[in-house]
């Protein structure tokens, strides 16, 4: 299973804005919609994330790694069958800015192929690992039919600051149309799992609904 170390200069801020296209194709301006996204799965933590989402009637978006899909194909099918969006997070979590064009293509297209085998569709969203993207990487993604999707809220759950801190950071910074970055893979994600019910319950109490991300 792919594990990684964070590139701190790229993702250190709790809130990152202006990092992609409009959050949702069907959200009206100012509508109280939020998008929960989960990176780096599927993993042993994914089933519990799915249980929590199902318990609360929430749909989310999973940016999955091709190498992890290959090891957990049934989990990717389960994510899809439960109504969530499965999108591309590369094969092995590299900094795509540093790749040659052939390596970039392999990272994206091999992951596409794994997702297509489990879901029947080719993802149109790409989330570059670490949020590391530049003009060349965006052009390459577009050449492969991908729209780059990053986030607006990063609670840094990958640093395991505690479930209370994760929930507090998310809830302090969510705005209508927000995209929340969480992780269901890449390491021990029990804190993220523990924070998830509070995040969902509190946002619902504030009048938010939860939408999947779509691209294209």
């Amino acid at each position: 299973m792919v594990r990684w170390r964070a590139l701190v200069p790229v993702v250190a801020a709790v809130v990152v804005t202006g990092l992609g296209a409009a959050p949702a194709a069907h959200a009206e301006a100012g509508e109280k919609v939020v998008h929960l996204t989960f990176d780096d799965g599927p993993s042993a933590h994914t089933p519990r994330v799915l249980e929590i989402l199902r318990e609360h009637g929430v749909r989310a978006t999973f940016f999955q790694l091709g190498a992890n899909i290959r090891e957990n194909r049934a989990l990717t099918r389960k994510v899809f069958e439960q109504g969530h969006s499965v999108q591309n997070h590369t094969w092995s979590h590299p900094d795509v800015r540093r790749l040659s064009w052939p390596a970039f293509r392999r990272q994206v297209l091999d992951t596409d192929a794994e997702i297509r085998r489990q879901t029947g569709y080719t993802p149109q969203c790409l989330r570059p690992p670490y949020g590391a993207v530049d003009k060349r990487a965006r052009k390459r993604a577009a050449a492969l039919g991908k729209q780059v999707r990053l986030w607006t809220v990063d609670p840094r759950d990958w640093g395991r600051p505690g479930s209370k801190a994760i929930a507090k950071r998310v809830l302090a910074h969510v705005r209508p149309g927000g995209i929340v970055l969480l992780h269901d893979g890449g390491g021990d994600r029990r804190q993220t799992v523990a924070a998830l019910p509070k995040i969902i319950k509190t946002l619902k109490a504030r009048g938010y609904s939860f939408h999947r991300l779509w691209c294209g």
Side-chain angles (χ1 to χ4, degrees), residues 139-159:
K139 287 181 66 175
R140 287 176 168 179
L144 298 176
K146 298 289 180 285
Q147 184 176 348
V148 172
R149 287 291 209 185
L150 299 182
W151 53 83
T152 62
V153 181
D154 176 9
R156 294 178 290 179
D157 65 324
W158 44 265

Side-chain angles (χ1 to χ4, degrees), residues 6-179:
L7 294 181
V8 175
V10 178
V11 296
V14 175
V15 180
V16 185
T17 58
L19 292 177
H26 305 295
E28 298 293 335
E31 185 181 353
K32 295 191 79 171
V33 167
V34 66
H35 310 273
L36 296 182
T37 68
F38 296 88
D39 283 14
D40 299 342
S43 79
H45 299 287
T46 305
R48 181 55 186 149
V49 170
L50 290 175
E51 287 176 4
I52 294 169
L53 296 175
R54 186 177 65 251
E55 288 167 5
H56 294 280
V58 168
R59 296 289 183 268
T61 302
F62 290 76
F63 286 91
Q64 297 192 338
L65 296 170
N68 287 350
I69 297 172
R70 185 176 58 184
E71 295 179 8
N72 301 278
R73 286 170 175 154
L75 274 180
T76 295
R77 288 195 298 273
K78 188 173 183 180
V79 169
F80 172 69
E81 288 167 358
Q82 291 191 8
H84 306 289
S85 177
V86 181
Q87 300 295 333
N88 195 314
H89 196 41
T90 73
W91 185 267
S92 59
H93 211 276
D95 181 342
V96 298
R97 299 170 301 177
R98 301 174 182 174
L99 298 179
S100 67
W101 170 234
F104 186 101
R105 290 182 77 257
R106 286 195 302 271
Q107 285 283 333
V108 174
L109 296 183
D110 287 357
T111 303
D112 275 356
E114 283 290 346
I115 292 173
R116 191 162 49 245
R117 290 186 190 104
Q118 310 315 316
T119 68
Y121 69 83
T122 300
Q124 294 182 298
C125 301
L126 173 67
R127 175 169 285 172
Y130 316 106
V133 65
D134 55 17
K135 184 176 181 180
R136 183 176 68 171
R138 287 183 183 276
K139 287 181 66 175
R140 287 176 168 179
L144 298 176
K146 298 289 180 285
Q147 184 176 348
V148 172
R149 287 291 209 185
L150 299 182
W151 53 83
T152 62
V153 181
D154 176 9
R156 294 178 290 179
D157 65 324
W158 44 265
R160 289 182 286 181
S163 60
K164 290 183 179 179
I166 293 168
K168 183 177 180 180
R169 291 171 181 178
V170 170
L171 296 171
H173 295 287
V174 165
R175 300 292 182 270
I179 303 172

